[in-house]
Amino acid sequence: LRSRPRNSDDLAALTDLPIIGEVPQLSRGANLPREVLMTPDGQAAEAVRALAASLRFVSVDKPAKVMIVTSAEPSDGKSSVATALGLTLADAGRQTLVIDADLRNPTIADLIGIEGAVGLTTVLVHDCDFAEATQHWGHQNLRILPGGTLSPNPGQLISSGQLSETITMAREQFDAVIIDTPPVLAVSDALWLSPLVDGVIIVTRARKTSTRALRAAIDAVASTHATILGLVLNGVRIAPDSKYHGGNYGNTPWVEAMRFSGSAHCG
């Protein structure tokens, strides 16, 4: 087997887990959530829509409402995939919340250009209400809960009863909740949270994530008896845009939806 899987065939030879998405490699300087927002008819947006559709088929008996998105290693693109998936579900009519629970290295706020100082850590230490800490971004059905200010004890916050209550509250208020966590092989945060969710999505980057690391991440998540919904292969090299993709659609509903971006205020 290849030491660093390049495509879905390589992954299929490695594991029986479903491959629920292939996200194309983007041009230098681009990021997935903004690409999906600004070019809704492009290959990236279509790939994330296919991912969202796949989720309906891998959890037919018990639809996954609250999901963790994680990876084996840093820089696999889990935060980008989590945010883009949230945007796609919101556009499909679902009230969606994306939570940045990577409290050691929160990146979603910077990724999409929103205020990140108020967020999950602020809620967990009771400095801000849950509703006040969330922000609209990209679509009226999408809210983002950034990581908030860095905490000296992120592990304690992740394992706290307050976080469990916050996830329960989110489950009651939203149709879909996507939780971005640190890489599995870096810290155990995703494993702590897995009993609170309906399933886990593991993101791996083509030609970067090693076979050994991906196997170790799968085994770690499986050891918690969590449901692994499937794998997403990020950064796939695909053919140039076909006539169905990549047009210049400047005045699309998603571009107009940028007006829903907001900021969080406490107190």
Side-chain angles (χ1 to χ4, degrees):
L1 295 178
R2 299 185 187 278
S3 61
R4 300 181 188 276
R6 301 181 306 173
N7 52 43
S8 57
D9 289 338
D10 290 346
L11 285 184
L14 173 67
T15 176
D16 292 332
L17 289 172
I19 301 159
I20 57 176
E22 287 187 304
V23 178
Q25 183 178 20
L26 302 180
S27 60
R28 186 182 299 273
N31 75 55
L32 184 61
R34 289 193 173 276
E35 186 75 14
V36 170
L37 178 67
M38 303 302 290
T39 313
D41 291 294
Q43 286 183 331
E46 183 60 33
V48 181
R49 282 194 291 270
L51 165 59
S54 295
L55 288 173
R56 299 179 61 184
F57 293 98
V58 297
S59 57
V60 174
D61 295 333
K62 183 182 178 183
K65 182 175 182 178
V66 182
M67 297 164 277
I68 282 175
V69 176
T70 190
S71 63
E73 301 174 323
S75 302
D76 284 343
K78 61 179 180 57
S79 301
S80 294
V81 170
T83 310
L85 177 58
L87 182 61
T88 301
L89 293 176
D91 186 65
R94 301 177 68 181
Q95 294 293 325
T96 305
L97 174 69
V98 175
I99 300 176
D100 190 345
D102 189 345
L103 300 186
R104 304 162 199 273
N105 184 33
T107 59
I108 289 180
D110 288 340
L111 185 69
I112 60 177
I114 63 173
E115 171 59 49
V118 174
L120 181 58
T121 56
T122 325
V123 173
L124 296 181
V125 299
H126 305 286
D127 282 349
C128 190
D129 291 335
F130 172 76
E132 293 177 318
T134 62
Q135 304 176 45
H136 278 300
W137 181 80
H139 197 284
Q140 60 184 347
N141 292 336
L142 177 63
R143 296 194 74 90
I144 307 290
L145 181 61
T149 55
L150 290 177
S151 166
N153 58 342
Q156 293 180 27
L157 291 178
I158 288 293
S159 59
S160 69
Q162 183 63 29
L163 180 55
S164 177
E165 292 177 10
T166 300
I167 294 175
T168 299
M169 186 185 310
R171 182 186 290 274
E172 293 171 351
Q173 295 182 16
F174 291 88
D175 301 321
V177 180
I178 300 170
I179 305 173
D180 177 35
T181 70
V184 172
L185 301 186
V187 290
S188 62
D189 295 4
L191 308 183
W192 275 100
L193 291 176
S194 61
L196 305 177
V197 304
D198 304 321
V200 178
I201 297 170
I202 300 177
V203 177
T204 180
R205 186 174 289 278
R207 304 174 309 281
K208 175 189 173 293
T209 311
S210 70
T211 296
R212 178 178 297 180
L214 181 56
R215 278 181 170 152
I218 292 171
D219 290 344
V221 176
S223 71
T224 68
H225 304 290
T227 298
I228 302 178
L229 298 172
L231 305 178
V232 175
L233 186 61
N234 189 25
V236 178
R237 291 174 181 168
I238 57 177
D241 286 345
S242 73
K243 63 182 179 180
Y244 295 104
H245 300 109
N248 183 16
Y249 305 95
N251 250 342
T252 66
W254 283 26
V255 174
E256 288 298 314
M258 282 293 288
R259 70 180 184 274
F260 290 106
S261 296
S263 60
H265 302 280
C266 290

